[in-house]
Amino acid sequence: MAHGHNKDHRPDLKQLVFGLNITSDGAVPLLHNVASGNRTDDTLHRGNFDRLRKLLDGVDFIYVADSKLATTENMAHVARYGGKFVTVLPRTRKEDREFRDRLRKGGVRWKVVLKVPNRKRESDPPDVFSCPVGEEGSTAEGYRLIWYRSSQKASLDAQARERNLEKAILELDELGLKLEHPGKKPIKRGTIVAKVNAIRKRYDCKGFIEINLRKNEILLPRRLRPGRPRADDPIRMEVRYSWTLTFEKDEEALGAERRADGVFPLVSYGLPKRSRKDILEIYKYQPYLEKRFSQIKTDLSIAPVFLKTPHRAVALIDVYFIAIAVSSLIERDLRKAMADTGIEKLPLYPEGRETATPTAQRVLEAFAPVGWHEFQRAGEVICFPLKLDELQEELLHLLGVPESIFR
């Protein structure tokens, strides 16, 4: 256990890195590992890939991961053993910078490859994914590189940029008010520029706000005699210095940046015959991994536990892995049984509302009222028969669980 980059902004706490692999069939956990808390994600993929090769006795699978896989060493390691992978290219790469510069200048035409309906709000428009027309590139290492544009991500990028601009303008306004107060010594221009650039860098809007600085010299009278002021008091004019800070949005730069909104690149290897749509759908399953992590604190309601040794922490993580695996198998088996029997929805939500994608949490909640009641009377144990409703019986049938275990 070591101090690392804590995502909860608690640098005072030690941590461990919990790595998890899931299958594309129901997002069922397949393998996990625990690493030291100061290990970065990009150093874990090669060992993780080797463990998967050993477990599956081959490389007949597609390794999907986020941008931490897209290092020269990691991708070469997977390719060396004949593996296949799909990952997203990080923004720090030269290929990403060059393509976004092209987009800002214009001239790239897009073609729709996939439309995904909005599941949260059916009334909202679908998420439309597009690719450049007749164009496909490669990375510096020679791997296949495909660019995509998401309409939903483009909207989110634009909203995030507007929020950052508002915050930057607010801080620049506050800085401008401070600079308007006259002082005896002039503030150096370089000091002000450094503060302005720090604000623009913090909100990632340096190229979208133009700054103008003007130095002001103000003459202020100063009385040379103490006491009550009189009309004939001798005075001396003193020079005070201030700055006027003005700024405005660069609409031309903002318009160019909007052309690059919603864009992301995917890198793949070993999948030359797969279409752009196939590559995108393979990668889009990756967020289900994050969903399994989030269920540790939500659906599974795992509470904080104070442990003395790292070995006990690792043992507890093993228990977490089993809990995630069991809940995932309940979901996969139930949904598969629904598809096999032609059942489209089940009334698992409150008030009997139906869902086409039941989760393990909803299934367990359906059995929450089930209880066993008994009491003793004159040395005799009296038991009340346990009753299951139609929904509970149907769930047991779909999951292949015999009702006799409840009797």
Side-chain angles (χ1 to χ4, degrees), residues 245-257:
L245 173 64
T246 59
F247 50 88
E248 61 180 356
K249 294 181 182 179
D250 188 342
E251 296 297 338
E252 183 178 351
L254 286 170
E257 189 65 23

Side-chain angles (χ1 to χ4, degrees), residues 232-261:
D232 59 346
D233 283 345
I235 60 172
R236 181 178 67 192
M237 302 302 292
E238 290 189 349
V239 180
R240 294 289 188 269
Y241 301 95
S242 68
W243 289 89
T244 300
L245 173 64
T246 59
F247 50 88
E248 61 180 356
K249 294 181 182 179
D250 188 342
E251 296 297 338
E252 183 178 351
L254 286 170
E257 189 65 23
R258 293 187 188 101
R259 301 189 191 104
D261 284 346

Side-chain angles (χ1 to χ4, degrees), residues 67-103:
S67 60
K68 298 300 187 296
L69 173 64
T71 66
T72 301
E73 295 80 9
N74 289 340
M75 293 187 293
H77 185 81
V78 177
R80 185 181 304 118
Y81 289 97
K84 312 178 207 41
F85 66 78
V86 175
T87 183
V88 60
L89 196 73
R91 291 288 296 268
T92 55
R93 294 276 299 221
K94 179 181 177 181
E95 299 92 330
D96 186 280
R97 183 173 61 255
E98 291 178 346
F99 186 79
R100 291 181 188 275
D101 288 342
R102 281 186 53 200
L103 288 175

Side-chain angles (χ1 to χ4, degrees), residues 298-338:
T298 55
D299 295 357
L300 300 178
S301 301
I302 293 176
V305 179
F306 292 95
L307 302 170
K308 291 185 177 180
T309 64
H311 292 86
R312 292 184 179 183
V314 172
L316 186 60
I317 290 176
D318 289 342
V319 177
Y320 293 170
F321 172 78
I322 296 172
I324 300 171
V326 171
S327 63
S328 304
L329 288 169
I330 291 175
E331 289 181 12
R332 185 182 72 171
D333 290 355
L334 180 57
R335 296 182 185 184
K336 185 176 183 300
M338 289 173 61

Side-chain angles (χ1 to χ4, degrees), residues 32 60 63 87 121 132 134 145 174-175 205 216 240 264 294 330-331 358 374 383 390:
H32 79 291
D60 190 21
Y63 192 79
T87 183
R121 296 185 181 91
L145 178 62
E174 294 176 353
L175 177 61
C205 57
N216 307 313
R240 294 289 188 269
F264 61 96
S294 68
I330 291 175
E331 289 181 12
E374 65 180 30
C383 300
E390 293 183 2

Side-chain angles (χ1 to χ4, degrees), residues 230-293:
R230 294 186 303 191
D232 59 346
D233 283 345
I235 60 172
R236 181 178 67 192
M237 302 302 292
E238 290 189 349
V239 180
R240 294 289 188 269
Y241 301 95
S242 68
W243 289 89
T244 300
L245 173 64
T246 59
F247 50 88
E248 61 180 356
K249 294 181 182 179
D250 188 342
E251 296 297 338
E252 183 178 351
L254 286 170
E257 189 65 23
R258 293 187 188 101
R259 301 189 191 104
D261 284 346
V263 173
F264 61 96
L266 293 183
V267 183
S268 65
Y269 176 77
L271 305 168
K273 296 182 179 180
R274 295 294 188 103
S275 66
R276 299 178 179 184
K277 178 182 176 182
D278 293 339
I279 299 295
L280 176 62
E281 289 179 332
I282 290 171
Y283 180 76
K284 277 181 63 62
Y285 204 83
Q286 195 267 345
Y288 285 97
L289 173 64
E290 307 299 334
K291 183 67 176 177
R292 293 304 181 210
F293 278 119

Side-chain angles (χ1 to χ4, degrees), residues 97-221:
R97 183 173 61 255
E98 291 178 346
F99 186 79
R100 291 181 188 275
D101 288 342
R102 281 186 53 200
L103 288 175
R104 295 183 184 101
K105 297 176 183 178
V108 177
R109 295 185 299 120
W110 298 89
K111 179 182 179 181
V112 176
V113 295
L114 180 65
K115 292 184 179 180
V116 180
N118 193 312
R119 295 183 178 180
K120 293 184 178 180
R121 296 185 181 91
E122 295 182 358
S123 59
D124 287 357
D127 191 2
V128 180
F129 292 88
S130 307
C131 288
V133 176
E135 184 175 334
E136 199 169 291
S138 60
T139 66
E141 299 87 357
Y143 303 120
R144 186 182 182 187
L145 178 62
I146 307 174
W147 285 91
Y148 296 91
R149 185 180 186 275
S150 164
S151 60
Q152 190 176 86
K153 186 176 184 300
S155 177
L156 294 175
D157 289 348
Q159 294 174 18
R161 184 169 54 251
E162 283 300 318
R163 287 194 299 268
N164 287 339
L165 282 172
E166 291 176 2
K167 293 177 181 178
I169 288 173
L170 182 61
E171 290 196 20
L172 289 173
D173 278 330
E174 294 176 353
L175 177 61
L177 291 175
K178 294 178 181 178
L179 295 174
E180 288 178 0
H181 293 289
K184 292 183 180 180
K185 295 182 179 180
I187 303 176
K188 294 182 179 180
R189 177 183 289 269
T191 302
I192 301 174
V193 172
K195 291 181 178 180
V196 169
N197 289 338
I199 294 173
R200 295 191 296 184
K201 182 179 180 180
R202 186 181 310 128
Y203 296 106
D204 195 22
C205 57
K206 186 175 182 180
F208 309 137
I209 300 179
E210 294 181 344
I211 302 295
N212 292 311
L213 274 173
R214 186 177 73 250
K215 185 178 180 181
N216 307 313
E217 293 185 359
I218 306 172
L219 294 176
L220 296 177

